Amino acid sequence: MSVVEATVESIAAAARTLREGGLVAFPTETVYGLGGDATNERAVAAIFEAKNRPQFNPLISHVPDAATARAFVRWNDTAEKLASTLWPGPLTLVLPRSEGSPIALLATAGLDTVAIRAPSHPIAQALMRATGRPIAAPSANRSGEVSPTRPEHVAQSLGARAPMILDGGPCLVGVESTVLDLSGDMPILLRPGGATREAIEAAIGPIALSDAIPTGDAARKSPGQLHSHYAPSRPVRLEATSVSRDEGLLAFGDTVPTGAMLTMNLSPSGNLGEAAANLFAMMRALDRPGIGRIAVMPVPHTGLGLAINDRLRRAAADDDSNRQR
Ligand code: AMP
Ligand code: MG
């Protein structure tokens, strides 16, 4: 781990690392983020691995400005109003994924929406512009610890898992960004944070709080809650060691049972980072007409395997009443 002064040279080196799929911790006005290329499934898997998150929660993709955001989400008038007054700043907008959006499926935990934000911190701005990619960045700490607001917090928490930490001193806002869901008819506040409700309502009028949303619309409540997770519409059978003809097989490793209607292998070499990177795309590919059920081979419960198994368990446990896109 190394804390480096943010200079033109170190920011260029950080941008190169990000473009090559590596991770960089950097300051934003809210907290320090552990950043990776949001369009690179492997880089996003590496973020979850470094944080030791036992679940794949969707991550926020960071961009320099609204013009850039438009390439990744279906932008709308409400987003435009908010961005013109509150961006760059501590406000995250949840918007539908645009068609062909290159944001990694793992970054959105398979959801059809993308959480996107333009941070105002000058080092974050310089890094994003030098990288030329959206940057997925949750807080730069091990899962379960408080968010870091100084570079030394990042170093203490992540150690060698954050090979490079750009030093921006203490974060000025110090709390996470406000998350506002604009993917439906009514804007919904999913998480209070650095941008106040008053400032948001001054720009767009009244917003709803997620607690006030009827359970029927639970899909739009904040992830972390079961209902907002992507689940295939077909039944999922876990720990499969053999398959039947009407099944699609989600395989892992090099010893794969034959006879499935369609087989997709998360990682023939048994690499959990590769498996995480393929997980959502392969679940979607198997969730299609002609396939009666998705059978999943056992995946080890170590490292990223914990989050993979958590996701698979939720997919298998889901019944029709809570199956959401
Ligand atoms: P963090 O990266 O730790 O600041 O957390 C990101 C926050 O954004 C979490 O509260 C997520 O639940 C929320 N979030 C990210 N993506 C989405 C999405 N597509 N829909 C709803 N909430 C999201
Ligand atoms: Mg956090």
Side-chain angles (χ1 to χ4, degrees):
M1 115 215 70
S2 68
V3 178
V4 298
E5 192 191 339
T7 61
V8 172
E9 291 76 26
S10 65
I11 288 172
R16 216 175 311 118
T17 299
L18 288 169
R19 280 197 301 271
E20 287 166 359
L23 305 185
V24 172
F26 65 98
T28 77
E29 68 277 21
T30 60
V31 300
Y32 275 75
L34 181 63
D37 177 355
T39 67
N40 179 335
E41 302 273 358
R42 286 302 288 269
V44 177
I47 294 175
F48 285 108
E49 187 162 41
K51 282 184 65 75
N52 198 28
R53 270 201 183 177
Q55 299 180 347
F56 293 129
N57 297 327
L59 307 179
I60 298 169
S61 293
H62 297 77
V63 292
D65 51 33
T68 312
R70 285 167 177 273
F72 308 115
V73 294
R74 238 183 299 136
W75 198 246
N76 61 35
D77 290 347
T78 311
E80 184 60 34
K81 280 185 197 147
L82 285 164
S84 64
T85 51
L86 293 170
W87 274 14
L91 175 66
T92 295
L93 302 177
V94 174
L95 288 158
R97 192 182 256 282
S98 56
E99 208 173 311
S101 175
I103 300 288
L105 284 173
L106 194 56
T108 63
L111 297 173
D112 286 329
T113 52
V114 174
I116 200 154
R117 168 166 109 85
S120 64
H121 197 292
I123 296 173
Q125 280 283 333
L127 180 63
M128 291 183 297
R129 290 180 194 280
T131 308
R133 309 260 170 90
I135 300 176
S139 55
N141 54 276
R142 295 281 273 179
S143 182
E145 297 177 3
V146 293
S147 295
T149 54
R150 291 169 180 270
E152 55 272 27
H153 298 165
V154 180
Q156 282 156 15
S157 180
L158 291 176
R161 294 177 196 91
M164 182 178 193
I165 304 167
L166 288 174
D167 188 352
C171 300
L172 292 180
V173 176
V175 295
E176 281 86 354
S177 62
T178 301
V179 180
L180 187 68
D181 184 354
L182 299 181
S183 67
D185 296 335
M186 175 83 185
I188 302 174
L189 185 72
L190 297 181
R191 176 176 79 180
T196 64
R197 182 179 179 183
E198 289 77 7
I200 292 168
E201 293 192 326
I204 59 167
I207 60 172
L209 305 185
S210 67
D211 305 345
I213 305 307
T215 47
D217 203 8
R220 297 186 58 214
K221 288 190 163 191
S222 202
Q225 299 174 30
L226 178 72
H227 296 266
S228 54
H229 284 286
Y230 166 76
S233 57
R234 281 162 186 69
V236 174
R237 180 170 71 89
L238 301 179
E239 308 294 332
T241 48
S242 61
V243 275
S244 58
R245 280 213 36 149
D246 66 331
E247 288 182 320
L249 178 65
L250 190 59
F252 179 85
D254 61 359
T255 315
V256 179
T258 54
M261 171 159 298
L262 176 64
T263 296
M264 309 214 72
N265 199 326
L266 289 168
S267 174
S269 67
N271 179 305
L272 289 166
E274 182 182 26
N278 284 327
L279 182 64
F280 288 103
M282 289 188 175
M283 279 210 290
R284 281 176 184 256
L286 290 170
D287 190 19
R288 66 175 215 197
I291 289 181
R293 186 163 60 181
I294 299 172
V296 187
M297 287 179 66
V299 174
H301 289 255
T302 54
L304 275 175
L306 283 184
I308 294 172
N309 278 293
D310 168 77
R311 181 94 305 282
L312 291 170
R313 213 170 337 100
R314 288 168 192 264
D318 259 0
D319 60 66
D320 284 332
S321 64
N322 62 21
R323 213 158 271 152
Q324 306 284 353
R325 278 309 141 109

